[in-house]
Amino acid sequence: MSWFNRVRNSLPFVAKRSTDETLWIKCKGCGEMIFASDYADNLYVCPRCEHHGRIGADTRIAILMDEGFDLLPQPEVKEDPLKFRDSKRYTDRLKAARANNPHRDAFTVASGAIEGQPAVMGVQDFHFMGGSMGMAVGQAFCDGAAEALRRKCGYVVVTAAGGARMQEGILSLMQMPKATVMVRKLRAAGLPYIVLLTDPTTGGVTASYAMLGDVQLAEPGALIGFAGQRVIQETIREQLPEGFQRAEYLHEHGMVDRVVNRHDLKAELAMLLRYMGASEAA
């Protein structure tokens, strides 16, 4: 340690904390350093390159929904039904995830409005075990759809996931048809189901409710796909095109309806809900 650092660290009025983590953020897109406060004020979008950073469920809901929304209770499901253990016990992984997250699992549902348009919103949080889809996520998704059916309003789902939760095995995969049934119920009732794909949305989530929206929106640069690029390249033995599995590529090839900047998402969702009839909800 240099003499300067020794003297600086011994001063009583200098807080011994990492200013890199509290004052500055390094953009994962362009690598530039940004004031953390400016980054937050800009909705966690880099003001230089427009890279959209990953955000948690509570932040996402606060950005997109009007004040006064209510959070639905998170479902109680049987934990660790397979008594799964790899390098750690599944129960220990859940405890660690919950220690760093305000919610019990990766899917949070809010009921309220978006610019006055009644809506239920389900948000997947990648920070909770990679947003993986297990029984709790599947049940929370279905509870959100049921609430939209009860309120006769649109259901907006924001996806961010690494796929199915391996620690729950076949039980996690069963959430795919379970969620699909609820989407069909929304469609039968004539209620809009809108999906916002964020970075990253992959695996079993992409293979189920993430790609079943009446309207598919995506944030700029979001990674969206089923299998990883390396797996695909090794399977087809061809070099994948530049930008493959990014939101703009999927939009160009008809799998996404619109790529929308985070600053414009709330107005975009309100417009879609208004156009699709959600304003008639009770």
Side-chain angles (χ1 to χ4, degrees):
M1 182 182 293
S2 69
W3 69 268
F4 176 78
N5 286 332
R6 285 199 302 272
V7 171
R8 183 191 62 180
N9 292 341
S10 66
L11 295 176
F13 53 82
V14 176
K16 295 181 180 179
R17 58 186 174 86
S18 173
T19 57
D20 289 342
E21 294 180 359
T22 55
L23 295 180
W24 297 89
I25 296 292
K26 184 176 181 180
C27 174
K28 293 184 179 180
C30 63
E32 291 291 325
M33 300 299 291
I34 314 162
F35 270 119
S37 58
D38 293 342
Y39 188 54
D41 291 342
N42 203 40
L43 305 185
Y44 304 92
V45 176
C46 177
R48 295 176 175 85
C49 72
E50 294 288 308
H51 177 270
H52 284 51
R54 297 172 183 175
I55 55 179
D58 288 343
T59 303
R60 178 76 66 178
I61 292 169
I63 288 173
L64 294 178
M65 299 200 78
D66 299 345
E67 291 184 5
F69 59 81
D70 296 314
L71 295 181
L72 268 64
Q74 297 210 310
E76 296 287 340
V77 299
K78 186 173 182 179
E79 295 184 353
D80 198 14
L82 305 180
K83 306 299 179 185
F84 190 93
R85 179 171 187 151
D86 44 31
S87 60
K88 293 182 181 178
R89 292 186 301 175
Y90 179 34
T91 52
D92 291 338
R93 293 190 183 277
L94 285 173
K95 287 177 183 176
R98 288 168 181 164
N100 298 310
N101 196 289
H103 302 292
R104 286 184 55 81
D105 218 287
F107 199 94
T108 303
V109 181
S111 179
I114 301 175
E115 290 192 354
Q117 301 300 309
V120 174
M121 177 175 290
V123 179
Q124 214 156 357
D125 191 343
F126 191 77
H127 297 111
F128 193 105
M129 294 187 70
S132 52
M133 176 184 63
M135 291 191 296
V137 168
Q139 188 58 52
F141 176 93
C142 293
D143 289 350
E147 178 68 7
L149 287 165
R150 186 188 70 80
R151 290 187 59 199
K152 296 182 174 60
C153 68
Y155 190 26
V156 178
V157 170
V158 184
T159 62
R165 189 168 296 175
M166 57 172 267
Q167 291 88 350
E168 295 184 21
I170 189 64
L171 298 173
S172 66
L173 297 178
M174 288 303 297
Q175 307 313 306
M176 297 165 63
K178 182 177 176 179
T180 302
V181 168
M182 294 306 293
V183 173
R184 293 188 66 178
K185 287 185 177 182
L186 289 168
R187 196 154 294 157
L191 299 174
Y193 173 55
I194 302 169
V195 178
L196 169 60
L197 303 158
T198 70
D199 182 67
T201 298
T202 60
V205 172
T206 307
S208 55
Y209 55 83
M211 300 305 292
L212 295 177
D214 298 315
V215 178
Q216 299 283 141
L217 304 177
E219 286 192 329
L223 174 66
I224 305 164
F226 178 62
Q229 293 190 30
R230 179 178 56 81
V231 174
I232 297 173
Q233 284 190 164
E234 290 178 355
T235 301
I236 66 175
R237 301 186 183 281
E238 290 185 15
Q239 185 66 33
L240 298 174
E242 185 178 353
F244 182 74
Q245 290 187 328
R246 293 293 172 177
E248 292 77 9
Y249 183 92
L250 269 67
H251 177 246
E252 183 181 342
H253 289 79
M255 294 186 69
V256 168
D257 294 306
R258 290 196 68 180
V259 178
V260 185
N261 189 288
R262 188 172 293 165
H263 294 87
D264 303 322
L265 274 171
K266 187 171 184 178
E268 183 84 7
L269 290 170
M271 180 271 292
L272 289 170
L273 290 169
R274 190 178 302 112
Y275 179 79
M276 299 170 78
S279 59
E280 298 178 1

